[in-house]
């Protein structure tokens, strides 16, 4: 009876679990989760499309919930945004990721060109201490500002006025790179790119997906080609997200994209993984 019932129990448990993970439950658990150290960061390498060498890594936060197991950011970042917890959480991610990057650099005696990418949510962007906190984190870790890239979504910057852009401009002047994340999904005015203090475009996964088709839709090709040439004429680097196959990687490289990120190279993982990739690059 135990084995037959066991499966049914598991199923019932799973259903109960899904019901239990309510918005409310997660929201109230968020503040203590930060105090209890339940968040952790996975790192996904960014590679040069030319030779596949590691360019840097993006920090992606996860929540190891005591009852529900590991939850992805899509489950809790929106809740943290709504409650304002995103500010201390985001500060923790920045601090932790920068510390980690500094550690990798110290381990690779050439100081390595390794860069660390950290996501910024709209609330953080509006926070009056964004610049001061970032400067503080960089100074305390000893990481040079040029090794940090802050990723801001295109939609967060649509219609942004000078007041919103000013902190980003200040960070850019210090040498911090600003990347426009999920680019191509926000219907932003391409001409507007010129007034944004960004140095990297992260082309959204939807474009990468198009590059997987056989044959590739000629219109999709033209669009990516156009974006890359516009970006390069504005001296912006182009990163592609969601590269899952070698064929995609080759097409995107041939189209002139600079760096890539995706399962084809590596899934997000523990910091050790980046360390071994760097060691492999060095030989
Ligand atoms: P994002 O910034 O666009 O991050 C890329 C997402 O694509 C990550 O999902 C990553 O795991 C996933 N991904 C990477 N390579 C591939 C691939 O080849 N194929 C597919 N299908 N997916 C791939 P993840 O880790 O679930 O993060 C989701 C979103 O949560 C991120 O999207 C970002 O917007 C947000 N996020 C993650 N960490 C943070 C954080 O520390 N702060 C803030 N504000 N947002 C974060
Ligand atoms: Ca991102
Ligand atoms: Ca993205
Ligand atoms: Ca995304």
């Amino acid at each position: 009876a135990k084995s037959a019932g066991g499966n049914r129990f598991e199923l019932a448990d799973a259903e109960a679990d899904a019901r239990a993970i309510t918005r409310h439950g997660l929201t109230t658990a968020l503040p203590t989760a930060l105090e209890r150290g339940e968040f952790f960061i996975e790192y996904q390498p960014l590679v040069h499309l030319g030779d596949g060498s590691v360019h840097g890594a993006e920090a992606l936060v996860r929540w190891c919930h005591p009852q529900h197991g590991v939850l992805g950011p899509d489950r809790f970042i929106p809740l943290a945004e709504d409650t304002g917890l995103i500010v201390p959480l985001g500060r923790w991610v920045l601090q932790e990721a920068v510390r980690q990057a500094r550690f990798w650099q110290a381990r690779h005696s050439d100081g390595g060109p390794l860069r660390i990418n950290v996501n910024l949510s709209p609330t953080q962007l509006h926070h009056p201490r964004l610049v001061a906190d970032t400067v503080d984190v960089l100074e305390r870790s000893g990481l040079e500002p040029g090794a940090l890239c802050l990723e801001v979504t295109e939609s967060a910057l649509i219609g942004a006025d000078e007041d919103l852009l000013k902190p980003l401009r200040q960070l850019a002047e210090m040498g911090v790179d600003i990347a426009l994340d999920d680019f191509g999904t926000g219907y932003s005015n391409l001409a507007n790119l010129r007034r944004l203090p960004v140095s990297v475009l992260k082309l959204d996964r939807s474009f990468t997906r198009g590059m997987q088709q056989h044959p590739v839709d000629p219109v999709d090709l033209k669009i990516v080609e156009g974006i890359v040439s516009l970006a390069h004429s504005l001296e912006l680097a182009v990163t592609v997200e969601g590269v899952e196959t070698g064929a995609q990687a080759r097409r995107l490289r041939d189209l002139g994209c600079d760096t890539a990120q995706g399962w084809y190279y590596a899934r997000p993982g523990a910091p050790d993984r980046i360390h071994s990739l760097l060691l492999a690059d060095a030989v």
Side-chain angles (χ1 to χ4, degrees):
K2 205 190 172 205
S3 62
N7 284 335
R8 229 172 294 138
F9 264 124
E10 274 167 35
L11 200 66
D13 278 355
E15 282 166 12
D17 238 32
R19 276 196 303 273
I21 310 183
T22 60
R23 204 185 144 78
H24 177 73
L26 289 184
T27 305
T28 47
L30 271 171
T32 37
L34 187 59
E35 285 162 24
R36 289 184 189 156
E38 291 171 7
F39 294 103
F40 67 100
I41 301 177
E42 287 194 321
Y43 296 88
Q44 186 177 34
L46 281 131
V47 306
H48 292 285
L49 270 165
D51 62 3
S53 63
V54 178
H55 170 75
E58 179 175 5
L60 296 160
V61 69
R62 278 90 179 84
W63 179 3
C64 185
H65 191 286
Q67 278 94 45
H68 309 306
V70 175
L71 303 177
D74 292 335
R75 301 290 296 276
F76 62 85
I77 291 287
L79 306 179
E81 265 276 305
D82 290 352
T83 57
L85 193 84
I86 192 69
V87 171
L89 176 60
R91 198 183 288 133
W92 176 80
V93 171
L94 178 70
Q95 196 177 308
E96 187 58 22
V98 161
R99 190 196 56 75
Q100 184 62 62
R102 182 73 193 96
F103 178 80
W104 284 322
Q105 289 195 341
R107 284 297 152 106
H108 299 271
S109 50
D110 53 2
L114 186 98
R115 325 176 34 79
I116 185 76
N117 287 35
V118 177
N119 292 287
L120 272 195
S121 76
T123 305
Q124 289 174 278
L125 208 59
H126 288 93
H127 197 272
R129 289 198 51 86
L130 173 67
V131 176
D133 281 350
T134 308
V135 168
D136 189 49
V137 165
L138 286 170
E139 278 176 356
R140 276 190 288 144
S141 72
L143 192 82
E144 69 276 26
L148 175 66
C149 178
L150 296 175
E151 301 192 358
V152 181
T153 60
E154 183 190 17
S155 54
L157 288 187
I158 285 178
D161 57 14
E162 262 315 301
D163 284 348
L164 188 70
L165 294 179
K166 199 175 155 209
L168 288 182
R169 229 180 267 296
Q170 278 176 289
L171 290 165
E173 275 159 18
M174 283 164 43
V176 173
D177 273 316
I178 310 293
L180 210 47
D181 205 353
D182 301 345
F183 184 77
T185 59
Y187 306 98
S188 66
N189 181 347
L190 289 179
N192 240 341
L193 276 178
R194 293 178 58 180
R195 58 174 206 105
L196 299 179
V198 298
S199 45
V200 180
L201 283 193
K202 283 191 91 169
L203 204 56
D204 190 69
R205 189 152 71 232
S206 47
F207 295 99
T208 323
R209 213 177 288 132
M211 296 301 109
Q212 204 166 13
Q213 252 87 67
H214 298 285
V216 174
D217 180 344
V219 177
D220 281 354
L221 267 182
K222 282 278 172 230
I223 291 172
V224 176
E225 212 166 29
I227 292 175
V228 173
S229 92
L230 174 86
H232 285 168
S233 70
L234 295 171
E235 292 176 340
L236 305 177
V238 178
T239 299
V240 285
E241 306 185 307
V243 176
E244 295 180 358
T245 69
Q248 284 174 314
R250 283 187 295 278
R251 287 206 181 94
L252 290 158
R253 183 197 58 204
D254 294 346
L255 285 166
C257 299
D258 303 289
T259 50
Q261 189 178 351
W263 298 345
Y264 174 63
Y265 302 100
R267 300 222 175 199
D272 290 5
R273 185 69 209 285
I274 301 292
H275 185 61
S276 17
L277 287 171
L278 288 171
L279 285 175
D281 268 2
V283 292

